[in-house]
Amino acid sequence: MIKRNNDSRLRSKTKIRKKISGTPECPRLTVYRSLDNIYAQLVDDSTGSTLVAASSLSKEVVEDLKAVKGKISKCKLVGKLVAQKAIEKKISSVVFDRNGYRYHGRVQALADGARERGLKF
């Protein structure tokens, strides 16, 4: 049997999700990373609804993304965008869900960008 990286990530994701969940006052900031893009959303787990979503494909940041180079810089912009949208909806604190990814590189850059705009976690 061949062990795949995604299998390890999914096991880690399951362990993380047992411990954390989002509420309307303090939603869960979850991150998904594909090869080229990154996606972030604030989720209220009590109702199972997405409160705010942003990605590197969002229309709001397309022009800004053309100006920066590298995936880490793009992730930081997406973090700032999701934080800005959250603050507009009067959400100031969140629970960070790294979704099984290591807190390193692009995931860390997104978190740092969100913190710079004022989200607390």
Side-chain angles (χ1 to χ4, degrees):
M1 186 171 116
I2 299 172
K3 185 174 180 180
R4 293 180 171 42
N5 284 339
N6 200 35
D7 296 340
S8 174
R9 184 185 77 81
L10 293 177
R11 270 197 311 277
S12 177
K13 176 183 174 177
T14 306
K15 288 179 183 179
I16 291 168
R17 287 289 289 121
K18 285 180 184 177
K19 296 175 188 170
I20 65 171
S21 68
T23 63
E25 300 81 33
C26 187
R28 178 171 53 98
L29 172 60
T30 184
V31 175
Y32 175 73
R33 231 178 44 158
S34 69
L35 203 57
D36 294 324
N37 298 303
I38 192 148
Y39 307 85
Q41 58 183 0
L42 295 180
V43 179
D44 173 12
D45 289 317
S46 61
T47 60
S49 61
T50 300
L51 305 174
V52 172
S55 75
S56 54
L57 300 173
S58 297
K59 293 177 184 175
E60 297 96 338
V61 291
V62 170
E63 292 300 319
D64 297 334
L65 291 178
K66 290 179 183 175
V68 297
K69 279 192 165 186
K71 294 179 187 177
I72 291 179
S73 304
K74 291 178 181 180
C75 292
K76 197 162 198 169
L77 282 176
V78 172
K80 289 179 180 181
L81 176 65
V82 77
Q84 178 183 343
K85 286 183 172 183
I87 290 177
E88 287 172 4
K89 289 208 171 193
K90 307 226 182 324
I91 299 169
S92 61
S93 65
V94 297
V95 178
F96 189 70
D97 178 9
R98 57 189 176 86
N99 216 0
Y101 301 109
R102 290 184 177 168
Y103 187 78
H104 178 276
R106 292 194 282 159
V107 175
Q108 184 178 3
L110 188 136
D112 291 342
R115 281 192 189 104
E116 280 181 21
R117 281 285 166 99
L119 275 185
K120 295 179 182 70
F121 55 94

